[in-house]
Amino acid sequence: MVLNDLYAFAEQHDIDVDCMKLKTMQCVTLSLDGSNCIIIDPFQLKSSIDEMVKLAHEIGHCVTGSFYNEYSPLDIRAKHEHRADKWAIKKLIPEDELKNALAFCINRYELSEHFGVSEDFMQKALDLYLQ
């Protein structure tokens, strides 16, 4: 999967993706009255790989409906973040493709290069699939 595929996915699913300068975050997802919007600060992104991982994660919030209310003491943020990560992992690193890649990639660095994701994201994928 390439970055343009994620932007196309967002467009096909009526998820607006806009660029804007943010003060404290690199990206944020908002949901209001059934409409979802992702805002990305391109000046805070390290690379296109960073953009792809973050965009997939934010799309994961939209697709899974994993939004949390920071003012609710009963809402568990980690649960929503895990759901968004899980969706992003399955989209960017399908399990069967990971199994095939393990035949010729010998470490996390090679796997992350093969899939075009960060090493940290690859580790999350390995943790998810190898539980």
Side-chain angles (χ1 to χ4, degrees):
M1 172 158 293
V2 295
L3 188 55
N4 286 340
D5 295 335
L6 280 177
Y7 280 103
F9 180 92
E11 187 175 338
Q12 292 166 357
H13 290 84
D14 295 323
I15 302 168
D16 292 328
V17 181
D18 297 310
C19 294
M20 167 187 273
K21 179 89 174 114
L22 298 169
K23 287 189 177 195
T24 59
M25 297 175 269
Q26 294 175 336
C27 49
V28 64
T29 301
L30 307 169
S31 181
L32 182 63
D33 297 329
S35 294
N36 297 317
C37 178
I38 297 170
I39 302 170
I40 296 176
D41 184 346
F43 301 107
Q44 293 192 49
L45 298 173
K46 300 173 195 155
S47 65
S48 59
I49 288 173
D50 189 35
E51 183 177 2
M52 183 148 78
V53 167
K54 287 185 170 62
L55 180 59
H57 173 86
E58 298 303 328
I59 292 172
H61 278 292
C62 297
V63 171
T64 63
S66 297
F67 299 101
Y68 51 89
N69 181 346
E70 65 183 289
Y71 302 109
S72 172
L74 302 177
D75 207 356
I76 302 171
R77 180 179 181 174
K79 175 180 73 173
H80 299 289
E81 294 299 330
H82 177 72
R83 251 191 230 143
D85 274 343
K86 188 174 177 180
W87 184 91
I89 289 166
K90 289 182 176 195
K91 187 71 173 173
L92 299 180
I93 308 168
E95 187 172 13
D96 58 333
E97 290 181 29
L98 177 59
K99 286 178 182 177
N100 292 337
L102 287 170
F104 56 87
C105 293
I106 60 170
N107 57 38
R108 185 178 68 180
Y109 172 77
E110 288 184 7
L111 287 168
S112 62
E113 287 287 311
H114 176 75
F115 286 99
V117 298
S118 67
E119 284 188 69
D120 289 342
F121 189 77
M122 180 53 66
Q123 187 60 56
K124 286 181 182 182
L126 291 169
D127 292 344
L128 175 71
Y129 290 134
L130 301 175
Q131 289 181 356

